[in-house]
């Protein structure tokens, strides 16, 4: 029997191969996906939406090496006019091909799969503005696990109606609240991770499972941090531990970026989220100090050193701070420094934590793998 192992180094040679996913599907009631159901006309006909396949119980497909070679191309063909059956076909082929794939091939397929789902869902940010009232009504109903009123659903474009029906029928699509009345449709990231986890190395599993967990929710909300102080601290500790545990892991640089991001947020907050009062003498919530004291006792930790520096800074009087961290009379925009600006200037001098956004250009907050910003 021919081996199922395939190689991305030979994928370029195989581009002349054209294999439909129907060749991989068992002939059954689901065999209608042979043309991937990709046209707008087919979408408008609203084919019956099936619940997502359970890959752990679905029968394995009999595929050959050529089908596995063509899998990446098949994923590239899925876009914002495709039906969910095209993704189910990809999932079934993945089940057959992943056990024989090399680690590099599994990672490449995972990246392609995430990009495929991004194209499938399309960009509904503009729809949120154009169809604001009906879109909000429908998204709110979905978020509350309520049945979407037919009259509201009909006010949406056909493609968006189709995606809403997927959510209601238990497919791998869910609604995500973005804050300020905005919603988005997203893939169930844990479902995505579960397909690939059995075939990944331990450091890769830890990275991808963590992103699947964290990115199912949001980090930002109108310039504010959408998770709690305790959660920001836990995220920072996790990523500090990760880069220490896997210094040669495949995702080391991405994990380092995440570590630097949460470290920065933990000690400086964001535009609309601050953890201390304006003068940085007191925490705004009583539970913050015990958490910071505990962090300061963490052994062999950069975060612990930062925490101790913050606590030391908070204990200084204004005059002591001025002696230790002299502040200019005017800021970089030639404005007089007020009390708030003086405190922020001095704490940055005391902690010396660089902004991660000045050096990093990857988005690690929307999927299970980080992608370059210009690829979003």
């Amino acid at each position: 029997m021919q081996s199922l192992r395939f190689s991305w180094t030979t994928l370029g040679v195989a581009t002349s191969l054209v294999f439909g996913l129907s060749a991989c599907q068992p002939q059954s009631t689901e065999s209608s996906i042979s043309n991937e159901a990709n046209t707008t006309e087919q979408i408008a006909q609203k084919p019956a939406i099936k619940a997502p396949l359970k890959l752990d119980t679905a029968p394995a497909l009999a595929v050959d090496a050529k089908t596995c070679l063509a899998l990446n191309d098949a994923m590239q063909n899925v876009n914002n006019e495709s039906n969910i059956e095209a993704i189910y076909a990809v999932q079934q082929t993945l089940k057959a091909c992943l056990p024989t794939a090399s680690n590099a091939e599994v990672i490449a397929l995972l990246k392609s799969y995430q990009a495929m789902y991004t194209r499938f869902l399309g960009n509904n940010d503009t729809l949120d503005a154009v169809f604001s009232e009906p879109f909000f009504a429908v998204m709110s109903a979905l978020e509350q696990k309520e049945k979407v009123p037919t009259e509201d659903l009909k006010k949406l474009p056909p493609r968006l109606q189709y995606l809403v029906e997927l959510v209601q029928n238990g497919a791998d699509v869910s609604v995500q609240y973005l804050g300020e009345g905005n919603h988005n449709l997203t893939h169930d990231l844990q479902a995505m991770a579960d397909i690939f986890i059995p075939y990944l190395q331990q450091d890769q599993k830890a990275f991808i499972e963590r992103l699947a967990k964290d990115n199912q929710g949001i980090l930002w909300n109108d310039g504010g941090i959408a998770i709690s102080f305790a959660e920001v601290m836990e995220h920072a500790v996790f990523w500090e531990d990760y880069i220490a545990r896997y210094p040669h892991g495949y995702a080391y640089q991405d994990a380092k970026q995440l570590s630097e991001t949460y470290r920065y947020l933990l000690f400086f907050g964001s535009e609309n989220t601050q953890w201390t009062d304006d003068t940085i003498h007191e925490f705004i919530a009583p539970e913050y100090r015990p958490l910071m004291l505990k962090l300061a006792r963490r052994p062999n930790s950069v975060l612990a050193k930062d925490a101790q520096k913050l606590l030391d800074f908070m204990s200084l009087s204004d005059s002591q701070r001025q002696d230790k961290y002299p502040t200019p009379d005017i800021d970089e925009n030639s404005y007089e420094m007020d009390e708030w600006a003086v405190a922020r200037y001095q704490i940055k001098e005391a902690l010396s934590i660089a902004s991660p956004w000045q050096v990093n250009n990857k988005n690690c907050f929307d999927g299970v793998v980080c992608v370059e910003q210009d690829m979003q």
Side-chain angles (χ1 to χ4, degrees), residues 55 72 103 112 116-117 201 277 286 325 349-350:
L55 295 186
N72 186 66
N103 182 256
S112 293
M116 173 192 70
Y117 233 112
Q201 297 172 1
D277 61 7
Y325 309 106
E349 290 291 306

Side-chain angles (χ1 to χ4, degrees), residues 8 24 26 28 69 85 106 168 186 191 195-196 212 226 246 277 302 313:
W8 287 105
C24 305
S28 67
L69 276 169
E85 284 78 8
V106 172
Q168 294 190 117
T186 184
I195 295 172
F196 296 88
Y246 305 114
D277 61 7
V302 171
F313 179 84

Side-chain angles (χ1 to χ4, degrees), residues 259-278:
S259 177
E260 292 168 348
T261 299
Y262 286 110
R263 178 190 178 199
Y264 188 89
L265 296 179
L266 178 60
F267 293 103
F268 296 140
S270 70
E271 180 181 358
N272 291 334
T273 299
Q274 294 296 317
W275 313 120
T276 67
D277 61 7
D278 286 348

Side-chain angles (χ1 to χ4, degrees), residues 236-301:
V237 168
F238 176 88
W239 291 113
E240 182 179 57
D241 284 344
Y242 182 93
I243 60 178
R245 186 179 301 115
Y246 305 114
H248 305 294
Y250 103 103
Y252 177 82
Q253 290 300 326
D254 292 339
K256 188 175 180 182
Q257 175 181 326
L258 285 159
S259 177
E260 292 168 348
T261 299
Y262 286 110
R263 178 190 178 199
Y264 188 89
L265 296 179
L266 178 60
F267 293 103
F268 296 140
S270 70
E271 180 181 358
N272 291 334
T273 299
Q274 294 296 317
W275 313 120
T276 67
D277 61 7
D278 286 348
T279 60
I280 316 185
H281 282 297
E282 299 291 341
F283 288 103
I284 62 173
E287 64 269 20
Y288 293 174
R289 179 173 288 277
L291 289 172
M292 193 62 72
L293 286 168
K294 181 179 179 181
L295 181 64
R297 295 190 294 271
R298 181 175 158 82
N300 304 316
S301 168

Side-chain angles (χ1 to χ4, degrees), residues 181-200:
N182 296 317
H183 295 79
N184 191 29
L185 290 174
T186 184
H187 179 36
D188 182 339
L189 297 182
Q190 190 58 57
M192 180 189 297
D194 288 346
I195 295 172
F196 296 88
I197 287 297
Y199 312 103
L200 295 173

